[in-house]
Amino acid sequence: MNRRTLAALAAGTALLLAGCTGTGGSTKAADAKAPDDPSKVTGTITVLTQRTDLVQDGTMKRYAAAFNKVYPKVKVEFQALTNYETEVKIRMNTENYGDVLMIPGVIKKSDYPKFFASLGTGTELSKKYRFTGFTTVGGKVYGQSPIGVMPGFVYNKRVWKQAGVTRWPTTPAEFIADLRAIRTRTAATPYYTNYAAQWPLTSWTFVNGSVHCDPQATTKLAEGDPWAAGADLRVGDTMLYDIVHDGLAENDPTTTNWEASKAQLAKGKIATQWLGTWAVVQFQDAAKKAGVDPDDIGFMPFPAQTDGKFCAVVGPDYNQAVNIHSAHKAAARAWIDWFTDKSGYDRDNLAISPLKGASLPAVLQPYEDAGVKLIELDDTAGARVKLIDSASEVGINAPDYRQKLVDLARGARSGTLDGFLDDLGGKWTAAEKTAGTS
């Protein structure tokens, strides 16, 4: 299975961890302290991962070998799960959910202390790492992401240039016009929804914050209507609707193929997909395998500017955590720290380092050149947003509502765009009044 970072961050937001109250629901306190002496850290640890591809090709085993040069008495075993969220959710009814795992999106933030050992205080860890606020509960941090990611368009630069487009569009209208030029002047499909895979559609929620360059965008989700006129999600969803409605996407979204789309974009048969920085290395690898130039793979921000500048939201990938029931918490913590600080996983994936002060990957040099402003969203209201989303049954980070949006745009569903988005907003604002009150 491939890295599905943005979808992974979002995968369970439409759900709460219903039923996960077995032995995994213990409220006992536990810390996974950073070990002082690597030679004294022992034990066999199981690391759960969604990176089936890296387990299958031996990459994770190579990481473990490098880790053992520092921690020779720790044995690392990997369990790669194809349907990570679903399988881990089931396991967490017991105490047997690995020693190290990525925090599933289905878990309420307030429940982190029930399932995971603390990594330390937010005050201390935030001096070194980005994104600690996303897993901080009661002043303690319960997870750490090994990489940072940002949403954006993976695109074939050669195709866009053939269409006569040599600069990034600055508005949704310009973006649509550029896709029309691609349709007219090239043989490429201008945009590919990956509708059938479902999870890529969830990444459209991550336009939130970028449209108006607003670090408080999550807070606004908890306090207002995400589909009000001019709101970030309405802008993004309207653009997705227009792409499909104007015939700028694949002819039959129900037959899309995620794996095949990587080579198709690399070869120039597809021009554009909205994904994230994490996808760039996969598309470049697809280009190499197809015998085409990997440098054709580019990355561009959402077409909106504030004060004449593009803005992009930087956030964590899956956060690694220590199972509160682990018998080898020191070894598990050692793995998380080493994997975050020393493994090179961020560089290998052309990703953003979670270490404060680290330079951006080379693939984002165009962002630096263009003066794109990078922001991190305040996640203080993140737990409440999940409660509202669950109560409203909208599923802002689930694929269902955007599949319905695409169906509406292509004429497979009746209704109007305004009616559809207004209905979402009505459900959301009604849930704001009741979510978390019982």
Side-chain angles (χ1 to χ4, degrees):
M1 186 178 75
N2 296 281
R3 268 185 41 77
R4 298 178 179 181
T5 303
L6 296 177
L9 290 170
T13 314
L15 303 169
L16 298 180
L17 197 57
C20 286
T21 57
T23 55
S26 169
T27 57
K28 67 180 182 181
D31 294 325
K33 296 180 180 179
D36 295 323
D37 185 351
S39 67
K40 295 181 179 180
V41 182
T42 63
T44 298
I45 60 172
T46 298
V47 177
L48 306 187
T49 178
Q50 95 284 23
R51 292 303 304 266
T52 56
D53 55 331
L54 298 188
V55 171
Q56 291 169 356
D57 69 12
T59 298
M60 295 306 295
K61 184 178 290 187
R62 289 191 290 274
Y63 284 133
F67 171 76
N68 283 144
K69 293 180 181 179
V70 182
Y71 294 93
K73 297 180 182 179
V74 178
K75 182 179 180 181
V76 183
E77 298 178 344
F78 299 100
Q79 289 184 8
L81 308 178
T82 301
N83 192 344
Y84 184 85
E85 290 277 336
T86 299
E87 293 184 49
V88 174
K89 173 185 172 181
I90 294 171
R91 287 194 187 195
M92 291 181 72
N93 283 293
T94 73
E95 296 182 2
N96 182 25
Y97 46 95
D99 297 282
V100 176
L101 70 157
M102 296 162 301
I103 298 178
V106 294
I107 301 181
K108 291 188 292 186
K109 190 174 180 180
S110 58
D111 283 344
Y112 287 0
K114 298 179 183 179
F115 297 102
F116 312 118
S118 165
L119 303 180
T121 68
T123 301
E124 188 62 30
L125 292 175
S126 65
K127 295 176 182 177
K128 181 177 181 180
Y129 299 109
R130 306 171 95 169
F131 319 130
T132 55
F134 285 83
T135 61
T136 298
V137 180
K140 290 188 175 183
V141 177
Y142 290 90
Q144 177 60 51
S145 176
I147 60 174
V149 295
M150 70 173 73
F153 288 101
V154 179
Y155 72 109
N156 188 300
K157 293 185 286 186
R158 175 172 49 81
V159 171
W160 277 65
K161 187 175 181 180
Q162 286 175 353
V165 183
T166 57
R167 60 176 180 80
W168 292 337
T170 60
T171 66
E174 286 184 15
F175 186 86
I176 296 296
D178 290 343
L179 293 189
R180 290 195 185 110
I182 291 170
R183 181 182 61 187
T184 301
R185 300 172 185 172
T186 78
T189 298
Y191 184 81
Y192 199 73
T193 67
N194 260 309
Y195 174 105
Q198 299 188 345
W199 62 264
L201 288 173
T202 66
S203 64
W204 279 91
T205 289
F206 294 91
V207 306
N208 196 48
S210 294
V211 177
H212 293 104
C213 204
D214 186 4
Q216 295 301 316
T218 301
T219 301
K220 290 182 178 178
L221 289 180
E223 297 176 348
D225 179 358
W227 295 276
D232 286 16
L233 290 189
R234 193 174 190 110
V235 171
D237 286 341
T238 297
M239 194 171 86
L240 175 59
Y241 175 92
D242 289 343
I243 289 170
V244 177
H245 185 264
D246 291 0
L248 301 171
E250 66 278 353
N251 291 330
D252 184 359
T254 65
T255 62
T256 59
N257 184 298
W258 159 245
E259 287 297 336
S261 75
K262 289 184 280 189
Q264 290 172 337
L265 189 140
K267 294 177 181 179
K269 295 181 179 180
I270 294 171
T272 324
Q273 295 193 53
W274 174 257
L275 294 166
T277 46
W278 59 268
V280 173
V281 66
Q282 292 190 32
F283 282 72
Q284 289 184 339
D285 286 345
K288 293 173 185 176
K289 293 176 182 177
V292 294
D293 189 355
D295 287 339
D296 283 343
I297 306 299
F299 194 74
M300 75 170 81
F302 188 83
Q305 291 190 329
T306 299
D307 298 327
K309 295 289 185 181
F310 290 103
C311 192
V313 172
V314 181
D317 184 20
Y318 259 129
N319 288 284
Q320 287 192 313
V322 175
N323 182 347
I324 196 171
H325 305 289
S326 172
H328 302 290
K329 290 185 180 67
R333 174 63 186 274
W335 171 261
I336 289 178
D337 287 353
W338 179 87
F339 196 74
T340 303
D341 296 359
K342 304 293 185 182
S343 69
Y345 181 73
D346 57 329
R347 295 188 300 275
D348 294 343
N349 287 275
L350 304 179
I352 299 165
S353 172
L355 297 172
K356 287 189 170 179
S359 59
L360 289 175
V363 70
L364 291 179
Q365 185 63 48
Y367 272 49
E368 291 192 281
D369 295 342
V372 178
K373 183 177 181 180
L374 307 185
I375 64 169
E376 295 180 30
L377 299 186
D378 179 354
D379 196 55
T380 304
R384 176 161 171 75
V385 170
K386 279 193 173 186
L387 290 174
I388 295 168
D389 192 42
S390 178
S392 69
E393 299 184 345
V394 168
I396 58 170
N397 292 307
D400 304 66
Y401 103 70
R402 287 201 179 85
Q403 282 194 316
K404 293 175 182 177
L405 179 66
V406 170
D407 288 343
L408 181 68
R410 67 191 182 96
R413 181 184 179 88
S414 61
T416 65
L417 175 63
D418 286 342
F420 181 81
L421 297 181
D422 289 346
D423 180 62
L424 294 177
K427 292 178 179 177
W428 188 272
T429 54
E432 286 177 340
K433 300 174 183 177
T434 60
T437 60
S438 60

